[in-house]
């Protein structure tokens, strides 16, 4: 069930360089959203752009959800300037959710603000007591807000070596896979297209099960505009909302897709 | 709510939702009381299923958006099987938008829909999609072809037959007259305008098919001018659309000559906008002592 709910801003914090986390009181969405799903935000009452701004949910607890975002344009600028107590028009929960982690080693990979849906899955696996590894990639240490802690399965990587492992997220992924039966592993990733494409190709070449959360421009977020397409590797069965089998809708069939299912993460 | 007469029909609200911007009516049902919408015009359906254009299909523009969906749809047979049953249960008026590549396509699609036993009140015929080579645009730019297509379709149905006009023509009046002569009950104006966008970082076209259809508030003045031109050219009723985002826009369209209006792109941002604006329109009528908003049709005065 999709809700159009007025949420109340509870707090906003700069958790890393130009990266903000905002907590929103949104009882209906908080009670029903699943890790991996997203919401579509009207950044302000006076928003005159045509499109809402989709954001993954980074945490959910009681009546409160949070989002993590980088300020890249007008919409995210408005979000960063929300005041305590402001009401914000949300549509959600939207899209599919992370699945298939039971009784497996889950390797969670987040890059940039793609960490949001990864963090929510991380919290969920914590609650369930499932085994997991967390890998986060960024350009430099200023973009990170979690400690590098390999002993506990938490790896930070940076392109410039200023924190954690010098290199990209594939390095710790290879470490995490050492001496492990890949049949018992599943990778969950969300991040910039280039990062996800690297993870996608690696997972396919190694035969590892891997789900990826994609991002693309969305006019609606709930299956009406048909604008948010991803090309499938093989033709699929037509579903209720996807009119033909060559393309899927990121907002309805996704945002999460199996690595083998799609042609590319570059949309 | 003040109802509006439209040919033989009474619309509970003059605000409908435009083809391609409200799916098949069921997608928003947990957020919106879809029966409160004046009418739902479903996504263009074609004789055969169409997978649509490759991505990217949409881009945001100043006060608007570009789209090149390419008439992605399930095809008329699947439409009758999986979409009509839900639409039949609705208490709002359903109008089925059809598209095609040749007269025979349109005719056969319409015949299949006629025999499917739906509760829909009529058809809107898309002769104006700018996004597919064969999107009916060849009809939409020729008054003669519009007239013969309209008259062929007229033979197949006694339901409401609406031709949807393109602004991408030299003279929209000529096309409108062609549709009227062919026997159309009404006209919808306008479909999207041809537009383009370039990503200056990558220097690539924003839309895979280079050109897309521009919609949203950016096109409202153009839509209004086209509606008024059509109003001056024909006697049949007009459904005005293009960039409507507030109740003032609706009143403008009616003053320009529209009987009903459709909301398109704005549905994406606010799925319940047509219901909110219907309430605001009622208030406007009350405040201005109008028994019906139709009283304002075509009343705009020249200077
Ligand atoms: C399902 C989904 C989940 C998302 N989750 C998050 C999230 O958790 N946190 C977050 O920060 N962002 C997320 N995004 C992306 C987010 O929607 C965009 O960053 C946002 O719309 C930018 O809005 P703006 O008005 O600030 O910027 P705009 O003015 O729209 O864009 C500014 C610049 O950012 C670029 N840009 C816009 N959208 C994207 C995108 N999706 N990917 C890469 N570049 C983009 C534009 O090309 C432009 O150069 C998500 C997108 C989707 C589809
Ligand atoms: C994404 C999108 C898809 C559309 N699909 C169709 C369609 O299938 N058939 C049709 O007749 N018009 C289609 N349209 C055009 C709209 O119905 C409408 O004529 C146009 O968008 C102008 O109105 P607006 O500015 O209120 O959106 C589409 C528009 C958009 C934005
Ligand atoms: S964003 Fe409109 S269909 Fe996916």
């Amino acid at each position: 069930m999709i809700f159009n709910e007025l949420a109340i801003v509870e707090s906003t914090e700069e958790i890393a360089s130009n990266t903000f986390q905002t907590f929103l009181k949104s009882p209906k969405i908080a009670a029903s959203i699943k890790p991996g799903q997203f919401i579509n935000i009207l950044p302000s009452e006076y928003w005159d752009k045509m499109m809402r701004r989709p954001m993954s949910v980074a945490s959910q607890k009681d009546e409160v959800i949070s989002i993590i975002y980088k300020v890249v344009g007008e919409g995210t600028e408005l979000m960063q300037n929300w005041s305590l107590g402001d009401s914000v028009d949300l549509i959600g929960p939207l899209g599919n959710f992370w699945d298939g982690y039971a009784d497996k080693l889950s390797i969670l990979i987040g890059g940039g603000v793609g960490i949001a849906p990864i963090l929510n899955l991380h919290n969920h696996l914590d609650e369930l007591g499932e085994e997991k590894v967390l890998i986060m990639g960024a350009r430099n240490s200023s973009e990170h807000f979690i400690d590098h802690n390999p002993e506990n399965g938490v790896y930070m990587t940076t392109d410039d070596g200023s924190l954690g492992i010098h290199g990209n997220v594939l390095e710790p992924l290879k470490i995490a896979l050492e001496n492990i039966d890949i049949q018992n592993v599943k990778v969950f990733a969300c991040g910039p297209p280039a990062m996800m494409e690297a993870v996608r190709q690696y997972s396919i070449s190694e035969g590892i099960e891997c789900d990826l959360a994609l991002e693309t421009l969305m006019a609606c977020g709930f299956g009406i505009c048909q604008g948010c397409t991803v090309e499938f590797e093989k033709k699929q069965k037509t579903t209720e909302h996807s009119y033909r089998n060559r393309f899927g809708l990121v907002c309805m069939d996704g945002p999460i897709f199996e690595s083998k299912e799609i042609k590319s993460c570059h949309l | 709510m003040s109802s509006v007469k439209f040919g033989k029909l009474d619309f509970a609200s003059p605000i409908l939702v435009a083809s391609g911007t409200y799916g098949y009516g069921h997608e928003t049902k947990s957020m919106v009381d879809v029966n409160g919408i004046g009418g739902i015009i479903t996504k263009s359906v074609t004789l055969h299923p169409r997978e649509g254009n490759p991505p990217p299909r949409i881009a945001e523009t100043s006060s608007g958006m570009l789209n090149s969906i390419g008439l992605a749809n399930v095809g008329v047979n699947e439409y009758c099987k999986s979409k009509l049953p839900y639409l039949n249960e609705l208490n709002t008026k359903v109008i089925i938008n059809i598209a095609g590549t040749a007269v025979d396509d349109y005719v056969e699609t319409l015949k299949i829909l006629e025999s499917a036993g739906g509760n829909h009140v009529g058809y809107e015929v898309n002769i104006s999609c700018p996004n597919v080579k064969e999107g009916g645009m060849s009809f939409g730019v020729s008054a003669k072809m519009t007239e013969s297509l309209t008259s062929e379709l007229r033979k197949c149905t006694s339901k409401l037959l609406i031709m949807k006009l393109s602004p991408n023509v030299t003279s929209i009046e000529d096309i409108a007259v062609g549709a009227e002569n062919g026997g159309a009950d009404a006209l919808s104006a306008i479909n999207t305008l041809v537009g383009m966008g370039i990503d200056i970082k990558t220097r690539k076209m924003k839309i895979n098919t280079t050109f897309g259809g521009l919609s949203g508030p950016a096109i409202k003045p153009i839509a209004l001018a086209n509606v008024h031109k059509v109003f001056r050219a024909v006697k049949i009723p007009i459904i005005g659309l293009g960039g409507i985002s507030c109740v003032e826009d609706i009143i403008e369209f009616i003053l320009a000559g529209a009987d009903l209006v459709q909301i398109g792109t704005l549905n994406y941002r606010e799925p319940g906008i047509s219901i909110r604006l219907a309430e605001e329109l009622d208030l406007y009528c009350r405040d201005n002592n109008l028994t019906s908003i139709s009283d304002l049709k075509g009343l705009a005065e020249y200077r």
Side-chain angles (χ1 to χ4, degrees):
Chain A
M1 179 120 142
I2 304 172
F3 301 103
N4 188 351
E5 189 169 46
L6 280 183
I8 306 292
V9 177
E10 297 228 307
S11 65
T12 296
E13 196 192 332
E14 184 164 7
I15 55 172
S17 148
N18 195 34
T19 304
F20 298 83
Q21 182 166 26
T22 296
F23 287 85
L24 297 153
K25 185 170 179 182
S26 184
K28 288 182 191 159
I29 292 175
S32 54
I33 200 160
K34 297 195 173 100
Q37 286 189 298
F38 66 99
I39 54 176
N40 218 352
I41 304 173
L42 200 61
S44 107
E45 204 183 323
Y46 306 104
W47 184 243
D48 61 0
K49 296 262 172 80
M50 289 308 95
M51 300 177 192
R52 286 173 180 253
R53 296 307 192 237
M55 290 282 157
S56 297
V57 165
S59 69
Q60 53 188 119
K61 195 166 191 290
D62 303 326
E63 301 193 320
V64 179
I65 57 175
S66 76
I67 53 174
I68 294 178
Y69 51 97
K70 253 200 168 75
V71 174
V72 294
E74 203 182 312
T76 42
E77 177 77 41
L78 281 164
M79 293 178 200
Q80 182 229 316
N81 287 320
W82 282 337
S83 306
L84 199 97
D86 279 357
S87 68
V88 180
D89 184 322
L90 307 181
I91 291 179
L94 298 170
N96 63 359
F97 44 86
W98 301 117
D99 205 1
Y101 38 72
D103 305 322
K104 287 221 165 113
L105 170 65
S106 297
I107 302 183
L108 316 186
I109 306 179
V113 287
I115 51 177
I118 291 293
L119 283 183
N120 203 16
L121 176 60
H122 189 264
N123 294 343
H124 187 61
L125 296 179
D126 254 350
E127 282 166 16
L128 296 176
E130 295 277 355
E131 233 193 312
K132 63 197 173 306
V133 167
L134 179 65
I135 300 171
M136 309 254 252
R139 278 183 302 232
N140 56 56
S141 60
S142 77
E143 294 180 345
H144 276 308
F145 54 92
I146 294 178
D147 292 333
H148 181 59
N149 188 352
E151 291 76 39
N152 290 326
V154 178
Y155 299 88
M156 298 297 119
T157 75
T158 46
D159 295 345
D160 66 356
S162 54
L163 178 76
I165 295 171
H166 189 175
N168 67 28
V169 295
L170 291 185
E171 307 302 326
L173 174 58
K174 288 172 191 163
I175 297 172
L177 290 171
E178 274 168 20
N179 308 319
I180 281 189
D181 177 2
I182 56 161
Q183 298 308 317
N184 299 325
V185 174
K186 183 160 178 178
V187 172
F188 300 87
C190 182
M195 183 211 97
M196 280 201 287
E197 188 54 26
V199 171
R200 190 181 83 84
Q201 292 188 6
Y202 184 77
S203 72
I204 291 173
S205 69
E206 299 294 313
I208 305 164
E209 219 187 320
C210 171
D211 282 0
L212 304 153
L214 302 182
E215 281 184 13
T216 188
L217 208 59
M218 292 182 175
C220 68
F222 38 86
I224 282 186
C225 72
Q226 301 285 314
C228 61
T229 34
V230 55
E231 186 161 3
F232 286 129
E233 183 63 41
K234 284 201 209 93
K235 294 203 169 189
Q236 307 262 321
K237 243 177 73 186
T238 299
T239 56
E240 169 92 357
H241 41 269
S242 291
Y243 298 160
R244 282 301 278 161
N245 41 20
R246 183 172 154 212
F247 302 112
L249 298 182
V250 175
C251 73
M252 298 290 287
D253 300 303
I256 298 159
F257 294 89
E258 273 179 56
S259 59
K260 287 178 299 201
E261 192 182 16
I262 55 170
K263 270 224 158 105
S264 165
C265 295
H266 294 281
L267 300 184
Chain B
M1 206 184 283
S2 58
S3 73
V4 170
K5 274 210 167 333
F6 189 76
K8 290 171 278 183
L9 299 170
D10 264 321
F11 280 78
S13 150
I15 310 174
L16 286 63
V17 287
S19 178
T21 67
Y22 227 75
Y24 298 115
H26 62 81
E27 295 86 345
T28 56
K29 67 180 177 212
S30 67
M31 291 184 276
V32 177
D33 171 20
V34 287
N35 287 322
I37 302 173
I40 296 176
I41 304 177
T42 54
K43 171 84 188 161
S44 281
V45 62
T46 50
L47 187 55
H48 302 292
R50 292 180 55 94
E51 58 198 12
N53 292 332
R57 291 179 172 183
I58 54 174
E60 205 170 32
T61 65
S62 304
S63 297
M65 67 178 278
L66 290 166
N67 89 80
S68 180
I69 308 300
L71 296 179
N73 81 95
V74 292
V76 69
N77 287 319
E78 182 62 25
Y79 181 99
C80 292
K81 215 166 68 194
S82 61
K83 308 297 178 192
L84 263 190
Y86 169 77
L87 291 165
N88 281 342
E89 284 169 19
L90 296 180
N91 283 325
T92 179
K93 292 200 163 45
V94 172
I95 294 171
I96 302 177
N97 180 301
I98 62 170
T101 55
V103 176
D104 291 350
D105 285 1
Y106 282 99
V107 168
E108 198 168 331
T109 306
L110 193 101
K111 280 184 176 159
I112 294 171
L113 289 164
E114 279 286 283
S115 60
N119 288 340
H120 53 288
V121 299
Y123 304 95
E124 182 181 70
V125 185
N126 183 355
I127 51 166
S128 47
C129 180
N131 299 326
V132 292
K133 278 192 212 84
E134 342 73 72
M137 224 10 231
S138 47
F139 295 99
V141 298
S142 153
K144 238 195 197 139
M145 285 172 76
T146 299
E147 181 171 342
S148 60
L149 174 64
T150 310
S151 64
E152 287 306 314
L153 294 174
R154 180 74 285 169
K155 289 178 203 155
C156 311
T157 182
S158 55
K159 291 192 159 111
L160 195 62
L161 182 63
I162 307 164
M163 304 305 280
K164 183 167 180 183
L165 307 179
S166 170
N168 305 312
V169 296
T170 322
S171 163
I172 197 169
E173 294 96 325
D174 291 352
I175 317 291
V177 169
E180 185 177 44
N181 291 342
D185 293 309
L187 302 171
S188 291
I190 58 174
N191 208 319
T192 54
L193 288 133
V194 174
M196 188 179 104
I198 305 167
D199 182 330
I200 60 165
K201 274 190 230 143
T202 61
R203 298 183 185 170
K204 283 190 177 152
M205 292 296 174
K206 285 197 170 164
I207 298 281
N208 181 286
T209 51
T210 303
F211 304 114
L214 181 64
S215 66
I219 72 168
K220 195 202 78 180
I222 303 169
L224 205 58
N226 279 291
V227 164
H228 192 60
K229 286 179 183 175
V230 171
F231 171 66
R232 293 200 296 196
V234 299
K235 294 195 182 61
I236 50 178
I238 299 163
I239 312 182
L241 76 153
I244 294 177
S245 70
C246 58
V247 73
E248 290 80 6
D249 290 346
I250 295 174
I251 298 163
E252 254 188 296
F253 271 89
I254 292 172
L255 286 167
D259 296 77
L260 302 175
V261 295
Q262 296 175 25
I263 293 184
T265 305
L266 264 290
N267 288 311
Y268 300 143
R269 200 177 71 181
E270 186 187 344
I273 187 170
S274 56
I275 293 174
R276 176 171 66 82
L277 295 188
E279 285 161 9
E280 291 180 19
L281 196 62
D282 268 352
L283 280 182
Y284 174 87
C285 287
R286 205 177 319 151
D287 291 350
N288 291 279
N289 294 320
L290 299 169
T291 42
S292 164
I293 193 70
S294 313
D295 296 352
L296 296 185
K297 175 177 158 108
L299 284 193
E301 291 174 24
Y302 296 111
R303 290 184 181 270

